[in-house]
Amino acid sequence: MGKRNDAYASARNFDGSIVDLAAGINVINPVGTNTGLGWGTFLGGVGDVSGQLIRYDSPSLAGFTVTTTWGNDDTYTGNVGWSGAFSGTNASVAAGYSNNEPESTGIATEQYSLNGAISNDASGLFLQGACETVKDTDKMAWQVKGGWGQNVNGLGKTSVWALYQVSENFAVGTVITAGTVSASEAHGYGVGLSQALDAVGATMFVRYDARALDSIAFGGAALEPGAKDLTTATAGMTVTF
């Protein structure tokens, strides 16, 4: 098992992106019509996708590592990352490339990513960022997340955080009732609280996320606003096996 865009994963701890939580929820336009498209179509990028992948991680050399994956008929990636620690401050950066060429279409999608994170042990403060672009297109997304985390109750780390994401043109080429999308821009933000339970290898969490489609165009004719905003509240627990 592995993940696509592993450079993103190696330099972040985003607890899941705002796209993951609502990718399958359809966008509703201002007059209440269901577009038939999930929010993930518009607010794409800056996220890793699980799949059936063969993965290799190289040994660390002076803080540098190389990761490659292949699978999913047919996806392959190459990623280079570095991490280090200085007087209680931890830093990591990563750059990656992925190529996804489904057998059904034979059309390759190439993506580039750049990611970084910094945290301080004494204060518990952390800041993380990621950006991703699709080759030969105007598709681009970036996300930043900051917060605080410390073990204050002996159970495990308690974390509070906020994130913000912008995605541009990820819906371009998609055909819906109004026509073929020629441009789009969406953004989202979220806040969350999590509590690690080290004794059982689990983490409880609660989070609130909001998403908005800022603009959408068909053949150059812009329509604003392009959709009703979407907000979600989520609570649960993840368990590591």
Side-chain angles (χ1 to χ4, degrees):
M1 294 292 291
K3 291 185 176 182
R4 186 167 61 88
N5 295 334
D6 291 288
Y8 172 78
S10 68
R12 64 88 161 120
N13 179 22
F14 275 92
D15 301 312
S17 77
I18 53 180
V19 181
D20 298 337
L21 295 175
I25 299 177
N26 285 350
V27 174
I28 306 299
N29 68 21
V31 297
T33 303
N34 188 334
T35 65
L37 298 177
W39 273 92
T41 303
F42 296 93
L43 196 58
V46 191
D48 43 19
V49 179
S50 297
Q52 300 297 324
L53 303 173
I54 299 172
R55 171 169 167 167
Y56 169 76
D57 292 89
S58 73
S60 177
L61 179 62
F64 287 91
T65 57
V66 175
T67 300
T68 60
T69 64
W70 174 81
N72 275 356
D73 193 28
D74 199 15
T75 298
Y76 59 89
T77 71
N79 309 281
V80 177
W82 173 87
S83 62
F86 310 92
S87 302
T89 297
N90 312 292
S92 60
V93 293
Y97 167 83
S98 69
N99 184 303
N100 181 28
E101 186 175 341
E103 185 178 357
S104 59
T105 65
I107 301 174
T109 300
E110 299 178 79
Q111 293 178 276
Y112 300 93
S113 59
L114 181 64
N115 320 276
I118 188 169
S119 64
N120 181 264
D121 294 335
S123 66
L125 297 175
F126 64 87
L127 181 65
Q128 303 159 337
C131 64
E132 190 169 284
T133 63
V134 179
K135 183 180 178 181
D136 298 327
T137 73
D138 293 326
K139 296 180 180 181
M140 183 275 295
W142 58 268
Q143 179 173 296
V144 62
K145 176 183 176 181
W148 168 89
Q150 290 281 33
N151 188 341
V152 295
N153 51 27
L155 298 175
K157 181 177 288 188
T158 302
S159 300
V160 292
W161 49 263
L163 66 84
Y164 184 78
Q165 178 179 330
V166 172
S167 297
E168 297 180 2
N169 297 317
F170 267 84
V172 169
T174 304
V175 179
I176 61 177
T177 304
T180 301
V181 178
S182 58
S184 68
E185 183 170 346
H187 77 275
Y189 62 88
V191 293
L193 168 68
S194 65
Q195 174 63 59
L197 304 174
D198 292 344
V200 294
T203 300
M204 298 185 299
F205 67 90
V206 59
R207 60 184 294 168
Y208 170 87
D209 297 275
R211 307 153 192 84
L213 182 57
D214 302 310
S215 65
I216 184 170
F218 305 95
L223 302 176
E224 298 184 24
K228 291 185 176 180
D229 294 350
L230 173 68
T231 60
T232 56
T234 312
M237 181 169 67
T238 60
V239 181
T240 303
F241 294 93

